[in-house]
Amino acid sequence: MNHDQLDNYLHSLTEREKFYELNPCFRSSVYEFMPKTVLENGQEVFVFVDVIGEKDNIMIYKHTRFAEVPLHIHSDIELNFVYSGQCTQIINDKQVTLKQGEVCILDTRVPHAILATTSQDVIVNILIRKSYFSSSFLSKIANGGILSHFLANAISEHQNHNRYIIFHSENNASVLILIKQLLCEFYDRAIGSFEMINSYMQLIFYELLRVFEYDTNRPEALTSPRVSTIDILKYIEQHFMECTLTSTAEHFNFNPNYLSSLIKKTTGQTFKNLIQSEKFNYASFLLANTNRPIYDIAETTGFNNLTFFYKKFNNRFKLTPQQYRERHSFERTHDEL
């Protein structure tokens, strides 16, 4: 399938869409058997469960035009992409209209409804298992560093976004091309499609991270328009062993208090937590790839209190340093064989 064939496929009216065009007020009988739940505010919502196949991590489908979708929640993370036209939703009791090229990602259990669309409004829905998103997927972005945690928080945990986030990607040609490639691969499977789909998903989220970064760090939000949160996080990843809040602020010509607030606002983490996270990532690398004593690794990564190092390491990885070394040393040996 090429892009022209994809365009024809998505714009062609399905039999269901033809029916709903003639019967706009009709509600499918499927809702009679669908489970419901009551939210904390007393609202009753439908629960969309088991949409993704047992052996799959991603499901992609075209939204049925002309049909309203009542208030509901998902057990999976949902990504909406406006392929053409627009899409108006009610999310957390707020009306949100997405334009062509924009993306909205909703965390699990975010109540939302979709208002009726027209023949020009083509919406692509991508459902992603949270387990896939938070483990095998995110572990490949930014090597599990603070940038990947930033992406995870921005999309699925960051309270400032009320558990959903809109990416103003309408002017980003790369997002459109990558999503088209993803759809072509999904709808027309061939050898290596599974790997291709995973790769396109990673590239899409890299681009969305760039869009998110630009949108939340416009010139009026920062002292210098050339400095972004991504620049700051990359600097911390590269200098975590020696940088301090003061030295980092001086590097970017910021006031330390301002930098501290900016990091907290955009990542949900404190500067201290980010530094500690990077140190534990480095410690885990040394444990898995060297035979250096654990006390030496602790000191090398800045933890002079061995008891504190053991406690915090176990909290982060759910393994003691020795258990982590044994497990990952085995995996490395097994891969080499």
Side-chain angles (χ1 to χ4, degrees):
M1 177 181 285
N2 59 37
H3 289 186
D4 289 336
Q5 292 171 325
L6 173 68
D7 192 66
N8 290 331
Y9 171 76
L10 293 177
H11 279 97
S12 298
L13 291 177
T14 65
E15 292 303 316
R16 288 183 64 197
E17 289 175 327
K18 293 176 182 178
F19 175 83
Y20 277 108
E21 185 177 18
L22 298 174
N23 303 273
C25 296
F26 179 83
R27 173 175 285 191
S28 173
S29 60
V30 70
Y31 292 111
E32 297 178 13
F33 308 98
M34 187 174 293
K36 298 179 181 179
T37 190
V38 178
L39 304 177
E40 293 180 0
N41 61 6
Q43 284 181 309
E44 186 178 63
V45 299
F46 291 101
V47 182
F48 289 10
V49 295
D50 299 328
V51 179
I52 303 176
E54 281 187 24
K55 298 181 179 180
D56 298 319
N57 288 311
I58 298 170
M59 168 59 70
I60 302 176
Y61 61 96
K62 184 181 75 169
H63 172 72
T64 302
R65 283 168 285 186
F66 311 108
E68 290 192 7
V69 180
L71 195 65
H72 66 283
I73 60 175
H74 284 278
S75 57
D76 305 298
I77 290 174
E78 182 179 15
L79 183 154
N80 305 137
F81 175 70
V82 183
Y83 188 87
S84 68
Q86 63 179 28
C87 175
T88 300
Q89 302 187 52
I90 307 298
I91 307 176
N92 284 338
D93 295 323
K94 179 182 178 181
Q95 182 167 308
V96 176
T97 298
L98 302 177
K99 303 187 296 290
Q100 181 172 320
E102 291 188 323
V103 170
C104 177
I105 296 182
L106 301 101
D107 201 352
T108 57
R109 300 189 64 81
V110 174
H112 60 290
I114 303 176
L115 304 187
T117 52
T118 70
S119 61
Q120 301 302 313
D121 303 327
V122 177
I123 317 302
V124 175
N125 299 319
I126 304 175
L127 292 178
I128 310 167
R129 288 193 192 279
K130 195 159 188 174
S131 57
Y132 164 82
F133 182 80
S134 61
S135 56
S136 61
F137 178 77
L138 277 179
S139 65
K140 296 175 183 177
I141 295 183
N143 298 318
I146 54 180
L147 282 175
S148 64
H149 292 295
F150 172 68
L151 175 59
N153 290 337
I155 294 170
S156 61
E157 296 175 8
H158 197 333
Q159 295 181 355
N160 287 351
H161 298 293
N162 205 15
R163 300 175 63 215
Y164 76 93
I165 184 170
I166 295 174
F167 297 86
H168 300 292
S169 50
E170 65 273 20
N171 296 318
N172 187 303
S174 296
V175 170
L176 175 61
I177 292 172
L178 289 170
I179 289 183
K180 282 186 175 183
Q181 288 294 105
L182 171 70
L183 296 176
C184 288
E185 201 66 45
F186 184 86
Y187 289 127
D188 189 14
R189 302 294 181 96
I191 295 175
S193 285
F194 177 81
E195 290 76 12
M196 293 288 286
I197 288 170
N198 285 338
S199 297
Y200 282 130
M201 286 300 298
Q202 292 174 40
L203 291 172
I204 287 168
F205 273 93
Y206 271 123
E207 284 297 327
L208 291 179
L209 178 57
R210 292 176 178 178
V211 173
F212 172 77
E213 162 56 28
Y214 171 79
D215 189 58
T216 55
N217 292 280
R218 297 181 185 277
E220 61 269 21
L222 292 173
T223 302
S224 169
R226 294 175 297 172
V227 178
S228 68
T229 304
I230 300 302
D231 294 327
I232 296 170
L233 295 181
K234 286 181 178 178
Y235 180 83
I236 293 173
E237 284 192 339
Q238 295 168 359
H239 303 278
F240 65 91
M241 285 303 299
E242 73 273 6
C243 72
T244 63
L245 178 62
T246 300
S247 67
T248 305
E250 289 177 351
H251 178 81
F252 291 104
N253 295 316
F254 287 152
N255 177 282
N257 290 335
Y258 173 78
L259 178 62
S260 178
S261 298
L262 177 64
I263 290 174
K264 180 66 175 178
K265 179 180 179 181
T266 55
T267 70
Q269 301 289 321
T270 65
F271 178 86
K272 181 180 179 181
N273 287 341
L274 293 180
I275 293 293
Q276 192 173 95
S277 176
E278 283 303 295
K279 287 183 176 181
F280 278 117
N281 284 342
Y282 183 46
S284 67
F285 171 82
L286 293 177
L287 285 167
N289 294 280
T290 74
N291 294 319
R292 293 170 62 176
I294 294 175
Y295 72 84
D296 182 48
I297 291 176
E299 290 182 357
T300 299
T301 51
F303 297 98
N304 296 321
N305 186 322
L306 195 58
T307 301
F308 177 83
F309 174 78
Y310 268 83
K311 178 180 178 181
K312 292 296 183 179
F313 190 96
N314 190 46
N315 288 343
R316 180 176 177 82
F317 296 101
K318 309 305 178 186
L319 296 168
T320 67
Q322 183 61 36
Q323 289 171 333
Y324 186 94
R325 164 169 278 170
E326 291 172 354
R327 174 175 296 185
H328 288 80
S329 295
F330 171 80
E331 291 176 352
R332 189 176 71 253
T333 303
H334 180 74
D335 290 340
E336 291 173 350
L337 295 176

